[in-house]
Amino acid sequence: MPNWCNNHLTVRSEHDEVQRFKAKAVGHGPWEKPPADEQPSPLNFHGLVPIPADVLQAGYEKAGFDWEVQNWGCRWGAGEAELMDDNGCELFYQFDTPWNPPIAFLKVLGKLWPNLKFLLEYDEPGMRFKGLCKIHGDLCENHCIEF
């Protein structure tokens, strides 16, 4: 059982770009078919940075775990994700990830969505670290401290 990293993500830009991101972010993970009554996550990593078909075909144990850690910085994507607020030009998400913050995922998003600014505040109380990561295009500024 993993320790959970608490994440608060702000996504900021012009209205249309933010709303396109919001729509693309909604979805279900690829590994299991969701129950018919399950609502899609408002922040689905696979919808934004898709797992390649060959990795999906190989399966989670053989290829998926390593791909997620390498490309997202954590396995499983965003757990218990909630869109806390949408004021048009800013989205505020809250979610958990196992063990680590999804810095690698945000770096990919920065390249895919160069007009968006991402600000991630995270803390992992079990391992006693917290931090702040800013992403805009290729620029990444991450400050992590132990407490």
Side-chain angles (χ1 to χ4, degrees), residues 37-79:
D37 62 344
E38 182 178 300
Q39 294 295 315
S41 173
L43 185 61
N44 176 12
F45 285 17
H46 177 64
L48 292 163
V49 181
I51 299 169
D54 61 324
V55 174
L56 291 173
Q57 186 174 4
Y60 184 78
E61 298 298 323
K62 289 186 178 178
F65 173 86
D66 290 335
W67 189 93
E68 288 179 354
V69 170
Q70 181 178 356
N71 293 277
W72 295 347
C74 62
R75 61 180 170 172
W76 304 330

Side-chain angles (χ1 to χ4, degrees), residues 6-10 119-123 131-133:
N6 308 306
N7 300 280
H8 301 274
L9 177 65
T10 303
L119 175 65
L120 179 70
E121 298 175 72
Y122 59 89
D123 71 275
L132 182 70
C133 181

Side-chain angles (χ1 to χ4, degrees), residues 93-137:
Y93 292 97
Q94 181 175 300
F95 60 97
D96 297 327
T97 50
W99 301 111
N100 299 306
I103 306 289
F105 171 73
L106 292 176
K107 287 180 178 180
V108 175
L109 288 183
K111 292 175 184 174
L112 294 173
W113 298 83
N115 295 325
L116 296 179
K117 294 180 181 178
F118 300 93
L119 175 65
L120 179 70
E121 298 175 72
Y122 59 89
D123 71 275
E124 208 285 55
M127 297 301 289
R128 300 177 50 87
F129 69 84
K130 62 182 176 179
L132 182 70
C133 181
K134 298 176 189 178
I135 303 275
H136 186 209

